[in-house]
Amino acid sequence: MLSGMKQKCSTICIIGKPNAGKSTLLNYLIGQKIAIVTPKVQTTRSTITGIITDVDTQLIVNDTPGIFSPKKRLEKAMVRCAWSSISGVDQVILLVDSITGFTDDILLIWERLKEKGIKPILVFNKVDKAPIILYGADNPAISDATIIYISAIKGDGVRELKAYLTKHAKEGPWLYAEDDMTNLPMRFLASEITREQLFMNMQEELPYNLTVETESWENKPDGSAKINQVIIVSKQNYKSMILGNKGAMIKKIGMRARAEIEKDLGIKAHLFLFVKVREDWDQNPASYDYLGLTLE
Ligand code: GDP
Ligand code: MG
């Protein structure tokens, strides 16, 4: 930032259905992995904020849980979180998976936004995988929309999207330091990385029935960190599955999570994982607090 330059700042929210690629887009924009990504739905549980500061402009980008019809308590809290994160932001990106296209359920999101007086930027993602004629892009409801086509994985079109966001940022003071990438604490990012490994390595419903919390974080004199995390599950047999035969599974998850923590957070880590059974963790306000959610 050169002296005499006026600062511009914009708060932005990315919403869409589960698996549209919201977290992948946030990571690409930031140029660093701060939001976890898996091929499974409902990986993101709360708002993940990334900060991009470039020349005179600061973009504060919020990744959110996907919008779907929630059934369980935790799911309801996640969807509530997605909707509430749009209030007060300057720009909203509605991210659409081009492979499935602009379907009726996305039209419902579009209309609900309209009722709130919000006109989102419509961003069609995964164009690397989608046919040239994008399903639903010709829907008359969106004939006057700003549409940008991207591949959040490959980066195609992301520069154009960033230019659009920057162009529409208003004059105002930056809210974060120039080199901040996120407002999330390291201990939270570290537990998300372990949760990502559980999503990648455990089958079916298990990843949805657990939560991970960093219990302690101790910085050692040699610059490394000793991190204790607890994986909280709702049933004893989930615990056995996570431990695996002679502890093989938890060992594998611990090794992978540690490697990712070291890579993504740029630290040397000693990671210790514990598994606890707490039948009602998904009814416990403290579990929601940790994730940045509220239990209704
Ligand atoms: P979210 O639920 O909206 O946050 O979606 P994620 O970012 O977790 O991505 C869901 C899945 O879609 C992951 O397997 C990603 O690798 C994949 N994905 C995201 N963006 C793209 C893209 O541009 N192209 C392709 N082919 N896959 C993508
Ligand atoms: Mg996500």
Side-chain angles (χ1 to χ4, degrees):
M1 174 99 190
L2 299 168
S3 65
M5 223 180 233
K6 287 224 167 81
Q7 292 186 338
K8 296 203 304 170
C9 189
S10 189
T11 50
I12 297 147
C13 177
I14 309 171
I15 62 164
K17 291 205 316 181
N19 252 12
K22 299 177 292 300
S23 300
T24 307
L25 173 59
L26 177 75
N27 291 337
Y28 197 95
L29 282 166
I30 302 298
Q32 170 110 11
K33 187 165 158 201
I34 59 164
I36 61 171
V37 170
T38 81
K40 297 182 186 177
V41 297
Q42 296 165 43
T43 305
T44 309
R45 284 183 172 164
S46 54
T47 305
I48 307 289
T49 305
I51 302 150
I52 313 149
T53 308
D54 213 356
V55 195
D56 58 344
T57 308
Q58 184 160 80
L59 303 175
I60 299 155
V61 187
N62 296 303
D63 172 28
T64 63
I67 295 173
F68 61 103
S69 297
K71 290 185 187 75
K72 295 182 194 162
R73 257 182 144 159
L74 175 64
E75 294 174 352
K76 287 181 183 160
M78 285 158 53
V79 175
R80 232 180 11 252
C81 169
W83 278 111
S84 66
S85 62
I86 62 166
S87 71
V89 300
D90 302 316
Q91 308 186 68
V92 175
I93 294 170
L94 176 54
L95 194 66
V96 181
D97 183 336
S98 302
I99 299 166
T100 41
F102 192 85
T103 46
D104 286 348
D105 42 0
I106 300 173
L107 182 61
L108 284 178
I109 299 175
W110 173 267
E111 281 172 347
R112 190 160 158 195
L113 289 169
K114 215 164 131 189
E115 281 165 23
K116 292 174 185 283
I118 295 165
K119 193 174 162 203
I121 310 150
L122 206 53
V123 177
F124 279 77
N125 186 30
K126 308 194 188 179
V127 291
D128 56 293
K129 277 276 172 68
I132 301 203
I133 298 166
L134 296 172
Y135 174 69
D138 58 350
N139 190 315
I142 53 172
S143 59
D144 66 341
T146 299
I147 302 184
I148 297 174
Y149 300 95
I150 66 162
S151 164
I153 259 186
K154 300 218 162 122
D156 305 339
V158 178
R159 190 201 296 242
E160 193 192 345
L161 172 62
K162 195 177 149 196
Y164 183 93
L165 298 169
T166 303
K167 190 174 156 211
H168 289 83
K170 294 201 189 89
E171 208 178 293
W174 294 349
L175 303 180
Y176 295 95
E178 191 162 358
D179 55 358
D180 281 353
M181 256 180 319
T182 178
N183 63 357
L184 295 168
M186 299 267 263
R187 50 196 297 146
F188 178 75
L189 296 173
S191 56
E192 285 288 278
I193 291 169
T194 302
R195 202 163 62 77
E196 180 180 50
Q197 286 307 320
L198 288 156
F199 254 94
M200 302 296 266
N201 290 287
M202 305 306 303
Q203 298 304 309
E204 287 151 31
E205 90 274 34
L206 185 46
Y208 300 100
N209 288 293
L210 62 83
T211 195
V212 183
E213 295 179 5
T214 300
E215 276 195 331
S216 67
W217 181 298
E218 199 185 321
N219 290 321
K220 296 280 184 191
D222 67 357
S224 67
K226 177 174 178 279
I227 306 167
N228 285 0
Q229 293 181 337
V230 50
I231 302 166
I232 303 164
V233 292
S234 52
K235 287 185 197 159
Q236 182 61 42
N237 76 314
Y238 290 153
K239 176 172 174 174
S240 317
M241 285 158 83
I242 291 173
L243 295 176
N245 189 13
K246 294 187 182 138
M249 180 55 86
I250 193 157
K251 195 169 163 204
K252 176 170 135 188
I253 286 166
M255 276 167 56
R256 291 186 176 177
R258 189 188 83 139
E260 290 295 309
I261 287 170
E262 294 197 333
K263 179 158 71 76
D264 296 341
L265 304 184
I267 53 165
K268 180 141 180 50
H270 309 277
L271 178 65
F272 299 90
L273 298 179
F274 306 89
V275 190
K276 278 187 196 161
V277 183
R278 261 189 241 143
E279 266 174 37
D280 61 347
W281 73 261
D282 63 342
Q283 324 261 347
N284 180 356
S287 315
Y288 287 68
D289 260 8
Y290 185 87
L291 293 164
L293 294 173
T294 45
L295 176 64
E296 203 158 67

